């Protein structure tokens, strides 16, 4: 009862009513141009994304600026949002396994949804497929989130050169490599459709500034994608500068080097007061569980420390990436340097194609992961000493056209 009242109050304050439609809004569609799909509140305790979408749609409707292409706002975990919790039965942002989704789309998997989140996922995938099926121009995808800890807003992306280049539009730090740590996220899945995909973490869950930061990210996405000119948005400059200020000095690219998994732990509790991007030292006590102290395994910055009950990621450690490394990686990828990989000791391409590299980690030891990262390969699995790493399909070039050649039968 108490929780319910709290949720109602919070929903009222953040402008949310208990029941939200799946489509938050659509704008444009009259003139040729890109499609921007923005999803908010994939986690139900993160209402800022939907509130930001509603405010942007309001502003667009009032001002009716010239708009190329279309913006589509989508609500994420509706059931969890109604209760103000991260998820009902399982994390909606960890169940986007490509073979299951593809089967759903092709009409092969007629199984009943096994959880509240599986039925949310089915509805979402139908929406995305329907929206995308009719498009023959570029599609951009923005996934709006907030964190339980305070700290600078930031971006997460799958490491493609196209994603990297697009994030130059945003005055916030950018994080690579989270795809290796978190399985089956929505962005990971959608990225394989060839879209530019951006995950934006706007700040702490219930901060007003998280709504403002999400609005700024949405405008930047629309301007960067070419839907709208910045002059058409009255507060574009001030909104951009506020976001820049909120990101403090944490500019550039960072890489996730450690994730503390709490799935099999009991009694995990973060030490109080850690902020996203705060410097930490190797051996520093960051949290505790029923076995005792949990220390940082390395020097770096703490990232997404968990200050809420639900979730399996205790904290991450990230490190700044040297800009020279980024430049070199970009040059090598454009030169298709991946061709040398199967000739190196302990490395083979899977099925004769370089999309996936199989590494015998007993033979190939030095700098293997660094080399694979540089060439765009991210770890998929490690089994019996064999590491499988795959690269993104649309790293350098966009798909030739966005009309999907697969016929979605179940849409
Ligand atoms: Zn989230």
């Amino acid at each position: 009862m108490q929780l319910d009242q709290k949720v109602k109050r919070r929903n009222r304050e953040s402008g949310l009513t208990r029941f939200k439609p799946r489509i938050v809004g659509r704008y444009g569609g009259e003139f040729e141009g890109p499609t921007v799909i923005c999803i908010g509140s994939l986690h139900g305790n993160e209402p800022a994304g939907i509130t930001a979408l509603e405010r942007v749609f309001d502003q667009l409707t009032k001002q009716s600026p010239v708009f190329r292409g279309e913006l589509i706002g989508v609500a994420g975990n509706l059931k969890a949002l109604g209760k103000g919790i991260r998820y009902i039965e399982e994390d909606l942002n960890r169940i986007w396994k490509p073979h299951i989704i593809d089967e759903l789309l092709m009409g092969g998997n007629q199984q009943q949804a096994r959880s509240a989140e599986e039925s949310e996922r089915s509805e979402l995938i139908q929406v995305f497929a329907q929206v995308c099926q009719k498009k023959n121009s570029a599609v951009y995808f923005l996934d709006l989130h907030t964190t339980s800890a305070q700290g600078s807003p930031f971006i997460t992306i799958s490491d493609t050169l196209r994603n990297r280049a697009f994030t130059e539009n945003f005055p916030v730090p950018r994080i690579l490599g989270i795809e290796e740590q978190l399985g089956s996220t929505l962005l990971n899945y959608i990225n394989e459709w060839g879209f530019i995909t951006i995950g934006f973490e706007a700040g702490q869950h219930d901060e007003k500034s998280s709504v403002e930061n999400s609005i700024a990210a949405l405008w930047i996405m629309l301007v960067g994608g070419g839907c709208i000119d910045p002059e058409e948005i009255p507060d574009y400059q001030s909104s951009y500068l506020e976001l820049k200020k909120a990101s403090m000095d944490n500019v550039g690219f960072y890489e996730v080097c450690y994730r503390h998994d709490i799935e099999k732990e009991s009694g995990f509790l973060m030490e109080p007061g850690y902020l996203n991007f705060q410097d930490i030292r190797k051996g520093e006590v960051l949290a505790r569980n029923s076995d005792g102290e949990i220390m940082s395994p390395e020097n770096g910055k703490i990232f997404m420390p968990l200050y809420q009950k639900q979730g399996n990621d205790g904290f991450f450690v990230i490190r700044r990436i040297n800009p020279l490394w980024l430049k070199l990686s970009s040059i090598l990828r454009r030169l298709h340097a991946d061709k040398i990989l199967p000739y190196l000791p302990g490395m083979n391409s899977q099925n004769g194609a370089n999309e996936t590299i199989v590494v015998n980690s007993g033979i190939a030891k030095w700098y293997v992961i660094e080399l694979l990262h540089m060439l765009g390969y991210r770890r998929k699995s490690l089994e019996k000493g064999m590491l499988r790493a795959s690269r993104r399909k649309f790293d350098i070039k966009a798909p030739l056209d966005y009309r999907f050649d697969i016929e979605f039968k179940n849409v």
Side-chain angles (χ1 to χ4, degrees):
M1 185 66 187
Q2 231 180 1
L3 175 75
D4 231 43
Q5 279 168 352
K6 244 170 121 181
V7 169
K8 272 186 192 160
R9 200 185 65 226
R10 202 172 71 187
N11 284 354
R12 214 172 31 244
E13 281 166 5
S14 60
L16 281 172
T17 53
R18 259 184 99 73
F19 300 102
K20 288 278 167 190
R22 178 69 66 197
I23 302 290
V24 182
R26 291 183 87 134
Y27 187 83
E30 225 177 300
F31 303 106
E32 277 288 296
T35 300
V36 174
I37 304 170
C38 177
I39 184 164
S41 310
L42 197 56
H43 292 130
N45 60 338
E46 302 175 14
I50 292 195
T51 311
L53 270 167
E54 289 174 337
R55 285 192 30 201
V56 164
F57 280 113
D58 269 0
Q59 196 170 335
L60 286 169
T61 313
K62 275 183 200 136
Q63 287 161 353
S64 47
V66 176
F67 198 97
R68 294 168 289 275
E70 189 176 17
L71 168 66
I72 296 144
V74 183
N77 196 335
L78 286 172
K79 290 185 200 84
L81 189 66
K83 291 187 187 307
I85 52 177
R86 185 175 168 92
Y87 54 81
I88 306 283
E89 290 170 84
E90 58 183 330
D91 193 327
L92 181 54
N93 202 22
R94 301 287 184 278
I95 55 171
W96 296 82
K97 292 193 170 65
H99 64 281
I100 294 177
I101 313 295
D102 291 346
E103 229 181 284
L104 277 172
L105 285 168
M106 299 300 286
N109 189 342
Q110 301 295 344
Q111 263 184 1
Q112 278 273 311
R114 285 167 304 179
S115 67
E117 276 70 26
E118 280 197 4
S119 77
E120 298 272 343
R121 182 183 67 185
S122 294
E123 284 181 33
L124 285 170
I125 197 69
Q126 299 285 320
V127 169
F128 299 147
Q130 269 167 1
V131 163
C132 299
Q133 222 174 16
K134 295 174 196 149
K135 301 298 169 193
N136 56 6
S137 52
V139 186
Y140 296 82
F141 194 95
L142 176 64
D143 182 11
L144 294 172
H145 287 261
T146 49
T147 55
S148 60
Q150 282 185 320
S152 157
F154 57 88
I155 274 174
T156 60
I157 52 167
S158 294
D159 183 13
T160 67
L161 296 186
R162 292 169 60 232
N163 280 343
R164 276 193 209 171
F166 192 80
T167 60
E168 294 294 338
N169 294 303
F170 295 83
V172 297
R174 293 157 276 171
I175 318 292
L176 303 181
I178 205 148
E179 74 232 72
E180 280 180 286
Q181 309 286 345
L182 304 180
S184 312
T185 61
L186 170 64
L187 272 195
N188 236 346
Y189 173 73
I190 290 286
N191 196 75
E192 294 299 284
W193 285 9
F195 305 169
I196 297 287
T197 49
I198 308 281
F200 183 77
E201 299 274 356
Q204 204 172 21
H205 295 328
D206 297 321
E207 290 290 331
K208 268 192 178 161
S209 57
S210 299
V211 175
E212 301 302 331
N213 291 338
S214 302
I215 291 172
L218 199 37
W219 289 134
I220 294 171
M221 196 82 185
L222 294 172
V223 169
C227 295
I228 189 167
D229 296 329
E231 304 78 49
E232 298 266 355
I233 308 160
D235 43 6
Y236 182 78
Q237 275 309 321
S238 59
S239 168
Y240 181 95
L241 290 173
E242 274 304 308
L243 182 59
K244 190 170 182 208
K245 205 164 105 192
S247 75
M248 300 179 273
D249 291 325
N250 302 310
V251 288
F253 281 94
Y254 294 80
E255 180 143 41
V256 177
C257 40
Y258 176 77
R259 166 182 177 253
H260 186 80
D261 183 1
I262 58 173
E263 192 162 18
K264 294 182 185 83
E265 277 180 18
S266 64
F268 177 88
L269 195 65
M270 271 308 296
E271 290 291 297
Y274 279 105
L275 308 176
N276 276 319
F277 293 91
Q278 187 174 327
D279 288 326
I280 48 170
R281 310 290 308 166
K282 185 176 178 175
E284 186 171 333
V285 177
L286 301 177
R288 287 164 209 279
N289 63 15
S290 50
D291 294 332
E293 293 175 334
I294 300 163
M295 288 179 268
S296 174
E298 39 201 311
N299 295 335
K301 285 175 180 286
I302 197 162
F303 180 62
M304 296 209 277
L306 188 74
Y307 287 113
Q308 63 193 11
K309 286 207 173 88
Q310 287 181 307
N312 290 330
D313 315 314
F315 58 85
F316 296 82
V317 181
I318 55 171
R319 265 198 307 255
R320 180 91 197 265
I321 304 176
N322 187 329
L324 278 176
W325 185 96
L326 290 162
K327 191 125 198 116
L328 183 61
S329 137
S330 167
I331 293 169
L332 288 174
R333 287 191 205 180
R334 286 179 202 285
L335 289 172
H336 301 286
D338 58 278
K339 285 183 186 149
I340 61 160
L341 289 175
Y343 298 100
L344 298 179
M347 294 205 192
N348 282 299
S349 52
Q350 184 169 285
N351 306 328
N354 274 7
E355 301 314 310
T356 297
I357 296 290
V358 185
V359 182
N360 182 337
S361 44
I363 300 172
K365 283 186 192 301
W366 290 285
Y367 298 108
V368 167
I369 297 288
E370 286 79 359
L371 179 63
L372 289 172
H373 285 177
M374 191 169 265
L375 297 177
Y377 291 83
R378 293 281 164 179
R379 176 174 27 198
K380 277 275 197 214
S381 62
L382 179 62
E383 270 174 54
K384 295 177 190 159
M386 302 300 275
L387 171 79
R388 264 187 180 71
S390 300
R391 69 172 166 199
R392 297 289 177 182
K393 252 191 262 171
F394 303 104
D395 183 7
I396 301 169
K397 283 189 192 150
L400 278 179
D401 76 46
Y402 285 83
R403 277 165 298 180
F404 294 96
D405 44 6
I406 8 173
E407 195 189 325
F408 298 132
K409 292 202 173 68
N410 205 14
V411 181

